[in-house]
Amino acid sequence: MKTIEIKPLTREAFAPFGQVIEREGAHTFPINAGKCTRYHDLANIETTGEKARPMISLLRGEPYPLPLELAMVERHPLGSQAFIPLGDASFLVVVAEETENGPAEPIAFRTAPGQGVNIGRNVWHGILTPLDTVSDFAVVDRGGEGVNLEEHFYAEPFLIR
């Protein structure tokens, strides 16, 4: 089984797969009579297809222990999918580039406290994987008609550590 080492999540490293959602480096401006700072336009929400619309959901995920065996990735051909943590716990983000034979070898990132991600439309990725503790997330993704899920099972799983 091939081992994948986890990397820290950065905007530059994640750019081919979507956007990192974080306050650091964001365009900001004051609102509400200067009592609030807006961190503006942090992700490109994508929706396409019949009756497409963005939707917001809440998820609570149980933690996964490391090392983790990864056998499957998925993608959403009709919309992006953003995961925004509602606490400071880290989570694992797994993505893979597209090849002519399906998804490439996965890349694994560990978020810093407060970082979220927006995974671009049609990008191969792992499932939501909280680390260390039960974690809550706001999720922004696509609602509407049509099949918006494709799964790929690797011939041999990867070990992520």
Side-chain angles (χ1 to χ4, degrees):
M1 182 179 315
K2 184 163 185 179
T3 298
I4 305 294
E5 297 294 329
I6 300 172
K7 303 174 184 183
L9 181 67
T10 65
R11 280 191 172 121
E12 296 75 24
F14 196 73
F17 309 104
Q19 302 84 42
V20 174
I21 300 172
E22 63 184 342
R23 288 187 294 264
E24 185 177 322
H27 172 64
T28 64
F29 52 90
I31 61 172
N32 299 342
K35 298 278 189 184
C36 185
T37 301
R38 181 176 176 125
Y39 297 85
H40 188 67
D41 199 13
L42 300 177
N44 301 321
I45 304 304
E46 301 172 274
T47 63
T48 188
E50 198 68 30
K51 297 184 181 177
R53 62 180 177 79
M55 65 179 185
I56 299 172
S57 303
L58 297 176
L59 299 179
R60 175 165 289 156
E62 294 187 20
Y64 287 80
L66 293 176
L68 174 71
E69 194 172 294
L70 176 79
M72 185 271 297
V73 289
E74 64 183 32
R75 67 178 174 183
H76 306 286
L78 301 178
S80 58
Q81 192 171 46
F83 296 95
I84 305 161
L86 299 177
D88 288 331
S90 295
F91 64 104
L92 185 69
V93 180
V94 174
V95 290
E97 293 182 359
E98 174 71 23
T99 73
E100 51 187 50
N101 298 320
E105 183 175 294
I107 302 167
F109 297 99
R110 184 182 187 117
T111 64
Q115 281 183 318
V117 294
N118 182 51
I119 299 168
R121 182 174 69 86
N122 222 23
V123 170
W124 292 106
H125 64 279
I127 62 171
L128 179 64
T129 310
L131 301 171
D132 307 322
T133 188
V134 172
S135 299
D136 294 329
F137 296 84
V139 178
V140 180
D141 58 0
R142 179 205 180 268
E145 296 178 2
V147 177
N148 192 29
L149 175 65
E150 182 179 343
E151 296 177 332
H152 174 82
F153 290 85
Y154 288 106
E156 185 177 331
F158 294 91
L159 186 66
I160 297 178
R161 44 189 234 122

